[in-house]
Amino acid sequence: MPVDLLAFGREVLGQQPFSALLNAQLDAFAPGSAELSVPVVPSLLQQHGFVHGGVLSYLADNALTFAGGSVLGDSITAEFKINYLRPAKDADRLLAVATVVGSGKTQAVCRCDIFVLRGEERTLCAAAQGTIRKAG
């Protein structure tokens, strides 16, 4: 694993065209954890004015995989589950905070909380858990 894990993670994120489309940012990346955020813009909303569930799922999937990858190396998502707890609305940004719950040589189980950010206020809107597998 590279010494500057955050710089390495940002380089990896930069290679993901879909992440670039969403203007995703890797805010923190350390062994066993990752924080990923997306600015909320009108094009990410659904018909009720809430952030589309697909955006929340993207954040969970990618944050879980970054967290797992921080202990496994190059990794992919094997599976994940997400629970939408409340609508993501009136947000400046969304923040996904993922941590490794347990890991072995080839897989890691990770969890992720997704928050709506409004200025300094932070409200939990979704929770996810997934299994991340070492690629290759």
Side-chain angles (χ1 to χ4, degrees), residues 6-27:
L6 181 59
F8 174 73
R10 287 179 173 164
E11 182 181 317
V12 170
L13 187 69
Q15 296 170 13
Q16 300 176 357
F18 189 69
S19 293
L21 180 69
L22 295 177
N23 292 313
Q25 181 176 324
L26 187 62
D27 299 319

Side-chain angles (χ1 to χ4, degrees), residues 24-42:
Q25 181 176 324
L26 187 62
D27 299 319
F29 191 38
S33 67
E35 294 186 13
L36 190 68
S37 66
V38 168
V40 175
V41 295

Side-chain angles (χ1 to χ4, degrees), residues 8 76 93 104 123-125:
F8 174 73
I76 56 173
R93 297 184 72 75
T123 305
L124 183 67
C125 67

Side-chain angles (χ1 to χ4, degrees), residues 5-101:
L5 198 56
L6 181 59
F8 174 73
R10 287 179 173 164
E11 182 181 317
V12 170
L13 187 69
Q15 296 170 13
Q16 300 176 357
F18 189 69
S19 293
L21 180 69
L22 295 177
N23 292 313
Q25 181 176 324
L26 187 62
D27 299 319
F29 191 38
S33 67
E35 294 186 13
L36 190 68
S37 66
V38 168
V40 175
V41 295
S43 62
L44 300 183
L45 306 180
Q46 45 87 298
Q47 73 275 14
H48 298 289
F50 309 148
V51 176
H52 193 284
V55 177
L56 297 166
S57 287
Y58 156 80
L59 275 169
D61 179 23
N62 225 10
L64 288 164
T65 305
F66 268 96
S70 73
V71 296
L72 296 173
D74 189 20
S75 300
I76 56 173
T77 304
E79 62 80 32
F80 81 98
K81 177 199 186 313
I82 187 166
N83 290 96
Y84 302 110
L85 305 173
R86 64 183 44 86
K89 61 181 182 175
D90 305 322
D92 300 322
R93 297 184 72 75
L94 295 175
L95 172 66
V97 178
T99 57
V100 174
V101 175

